[in-house]
Amino acid sequence: MSDLTSYKIKPHQFLTMATNVIFKTLVESQRTEAKKIFNAITEGKRIALLNVLIDDDSEVRFDLALDQSEYRGERLNFKSFRDSVTGLVGSLSESLRQESDVPVFTEKTDGSMLFGIPGLTQQQGQLNVLMLGVNARGPGSVLLKLQYVDPDQFNVEQQIV
């Protein structure tokens, strides 16, 4: 018999929790703390952000990683990253406030998910898109993956009327 407990949580509830974790650790926190996290994840590290206590007194650890392979522009710096995160948190918060359906894309091979709510930023005329991915890395551990995606998918041609 297994000692593992499985929890089911609706995407909307999980997204609320994940948005709050990202906001508190990367936007609301002191600049020096957020910059330490930024430096670690831009080096390809996965870092433990915090442990969340569940109703039955068990804990879930939230880790953070970054995929910057589709970032456009010069080298990703802290200001650009924090602007991107702020844009993503704003988009996620607005979607949660409106209680709209959140598109979730699931990778069949490993079960990882990508929430279909983009955070758009534009710096020096270059569009960048940051999205939130999630992977349950094992019992009691969830990886939040901030992922830059190809911004060309989001370009909308202006129509002159």
Side-chain angles (χ1 to χ4, degrees):
M1 188 167 205
S2 174
D3 290 339
L4 299 178
T5 303
S6 178
Y7 294 97
K8 290 195 182 246
I9 186 168
K10 294 179 181 178
H12 191 272
Q13 292 170 313
F14 179 81
L15 191 55
T16 299
M17 189 178 347
T19 301
N20 286 330
V21 167
I22 292 168
F23 176 76
K24 294 232 179 258
T25 57
L26 295 173
V27 178
E28 188 178 63
S29 66
Q30 295 290 327
R31 179 180 168 82
T32 54
E33 288 302 311
K35 197 163 186 179
K36 283 181 194 175
I37 294 169
F38 167 76
N39 288 334
I41 61 177
T42 55
E43 293 173 1
K45 297 176 183 172
R46 294 178 177 183
I47 60 162
L49 286 182
L50 65 102
N51 293 332
V52 175
L53 191 62
I54 305 297
D55 292 338
D56 67 354
D57 292 332
S58 61
E59 286 188 353
V60 175
R61 187 181 80 214
F62 280 86
D63 295 344
L64 183 69
L66 173 67
D67 178 348
Q68 59 182 323
S69 60
E70 293 292 334
Y71 176 78
R72 303 290 166 90
E74 293 183 26
R75 189 178 74 86
L76 180 61
N77 61 40
F78 179 68
K79 182 189 179 326
S80 296
F81 172 73
R82 203 161 191 186
D83 289 348
S84 294
V85 171
T86 301
L88 176 61
V89 166
S91 294
L92 292 170
S93 297
E94 183 60 29
S95 179
L96 290 166
R97 234 183 329 275
Q98 292 179 2
E99 297 183 9
S100 56
D101 287 337
V102 175
V104 179
F105 306 98
T106 305
E107 174 64 45
K108 291 181 182 179
T109 57
D110 66 1
S112 62
M113 298 180 294
L114 183 69
F115 290 100
I117 301 172
L120 306 170
T121 54
Q122 190 165 12
Q123 293 141 350
Q124 298 176 343
Q126 179 60 57
L127 179 67
N128 274 292
V129 180
L130 186 64
M131 295 178 82
L132 175 62
V134 177
N135 192 333
R137 297 185 58 209
S141 178
V142 174
L143 173 65
L144 300 177
K145 187 173 187 179
L146 296 173
Q147 186 169 344
Y148 283 96
V149 298
D150 181 1
D152 293 339
Q153 302 174 70
F154 298 87
N155 282 339
V156 178
E157 291 184 28
Q158 292 181 339
Q159 296 178 355
I160 300 174
V161 180

